[in-house]
Amino acid sequence: MPDETRPYQGGRPLAAASGALGLAETESVPPALAPTAAAVGAALDATAPAPQVRMSQPMPMELAPGTPVGEYRVLRKLGEGGMGAVYAGEQPTIGKRVAIKVLAPHCAGDSDLIRRFVEEARAANRIQHPHIIDIFSFGQLPDGRHYFVMEFLEGQSMAEAIDKQSLQPDELRRLLCQICGALEASHQVGIVHRDLKPENIWIARPPHGESYVKLLDFGIAKLLDPTRTNLTQTGALLGTPLFMAPEQCMGRQVDARVDLYALGVLLYRLFSGQYPFQGTVITELVYQHVAEAPA
């Protein structure tokens, strides 16, 4: 694998030496052989309750190569974050490459974290857009930890591409249009991402054809469905401060406009080379988003 190309699997990048992506610290496709939403079953049904933890036999905290995860087998670890770890895997019969996101052991007893983990899979499955990461399997390990299985993509995060200044105008214009299309599809089914940022935008670089984007990490997505109990209540400060809209900074009710605000921050960063607001602490950034105008 060339140095500039790295496998995705959900979340923030680790240190550069690790060469992988882990889980988002902020709680934030061409789908190949991926079943439809109906085929995924009740585990990803937006109306179904979050699965309960079933602790049975213990397993090592880190999954070794060859460990079975449902119908898949672990190949290697890609990265980890505060919420858990991500592994490269494959379906041994047909050799389909996948990425497996596993909740950390210390989170296994936290019903709120489990619910958010499940909602990430439900949200992506509900949208079903070619530029949103495809999640096609969900389950629990024998020790009770939840996992879901996603498509495996070669490429890099937009954050890495920005740092390397590797995006050319024509490519960037195409990728931005794809981001807008993914957000539109998400909003049409009542889902707000709430944590749009370069680290959560994956630029897939297939061996054949043009690069394309995938939106990642719907772990703090808000489902705007009045028949459901929202997982993220008014007053909760969730997101990444550099990209948070004023109402999000103040913990107020949010809607699709917070994603458009974050997209505006991204455009500002892409075309000016800096963020609209600078700060060393969260409270400073929050104040600037609420009370000041960018340069």
Side-chain angles (χ1 to χ4, degrees):
M1 183 181 301
D3 291 339
E4 70 274 9
T5 301
R6 306 198 328 189
Y8 159 71
Q9 197 27 38
R12 282 170 51 176
L14 300 175
S18 68
L21 290 179
L23 290 175
E25 295 287 350
T26 35
E27 256 285 87
S28 23
V29 34
L33 303 180
T36 63
V40 174
L44 299 184
D45 183 355
T47 64
Q52 300 299 310
V53 179
R54 299 190 306 272
M55 303 300 289
S56 55
Q57 52 186 334
M59 293 183 69
M61 180 179 296
E62 188 164 314
L63 303 183
T67 302
V69 178
E71 65 174 300
Y72 304 94
R73 295 291 183 273
V74 170
L75 295 178
R76 69 184 186 279
K77 187 176 183 179
L78 295 176
E80 65 181 321
M83 284 284 292
V86 179
Y87 298 86
E90 71 172 0
Q91 209 289 341
T93 303
I94 62 175
K96 177 178 172 60
R97 298 290 299 280
V98 299
I100 305 167
K101 191 171 185 177
V102 182
L103 197 62
H106 69 269
C107 300
D110 189 321
S111 59
D112 183 59
L113 291 180
I114 292 171
R115 192 172 294 276
R116 289 182 187 172
F117 188 77
V118 174
E119 280 302 318
E120 181 173 354
R122 286 177 176 165
N125 181 258
R126 178 172 170 181
I127 301 166
Q128 294 189 23
H129 189 272
H131 296 299
I132 291 175
I133 191 69
D134 186 32
I135 298 175
F136 46 82
S137 184
F138 181 87
Q140 282 184 274
L141 299 176
D143 63 2
R145 282 180 287 170
H146 289 80
Y147 70 85
F148 57 71
V149 182
M150 301 181 275
E151 58 183 327
F152 184 94
L153 301 169
E154 302 286 1
Q156 62 184 164
S157 71
M158 181 167 278
E160 294 172 294
I162 291 172
D163 289 342
K164 294 180 179 179
Q165 298 182 335
S166 61
L167 294 171
Q168 299 303 310
D170 286 345
E171 179 186 30
L172 183 56
R173 179 167 56 248
R174 185 181 72 253
L175 299 180
L176 288 170
C177 287
Q178 293 173 0
I179 293 169
C180 290
L183 289 177
E184 181 181 29
S186 176
H187 298 162
Q188 284 178 345
V189 296
I191 294 175
V192 182
H193 189 287
R194 298 187 70 191
D195 198 21
L196 184 70
K197 57 185 177 181
E199 290 82 0
N200 284 342
I201 301 169
W202 189 257
I203 303 175
R205 301 193 181 280
H208 308 288
E210 293 182 322
S211 60
Y212 57 91
V213 297
K214 293 280 188 172
L215 294 194
L216 315 175
D217 292 318
F218 280 78
I220 65 169
K222 188 179 185 70
L223 283 78
L224 302 179
D225 185 342
T227 66
R228 291 175 51 79
T229 301
N230 288 323
L231 301 181
T232 49
Q233 304 294 336
T234 300
L237 185 65
L238 295 174
T240 302
L242 281 170
F243 293 85
M244 287 168 59
E247 63 270 32
Q248 196 173 6
C249 290
M250 293 186 288
R252 295 181 177 174
Q253 188 75 20
V254 302
D255 57 30
R257 288 173 290 185
V258 300
D259 287 345
L260 303 185
Y261 185 93
L263 180 61
V265 174
L266 174 61
L267 293 172
Y268 194 105
R269 171 65 180 85
L270 287 169
F271 296 114
S272 74
Q274 62 184 21
Y275 289 106
F277 300 114
Q278 309 290 327
T280 56
V281 295
I282 291 177
T283 51
E284 183 180 7
L285 283 168
V286 166
Y287 173 80
Q288 292 176 31
H289 280 291
V290 171
E292 296 186 1

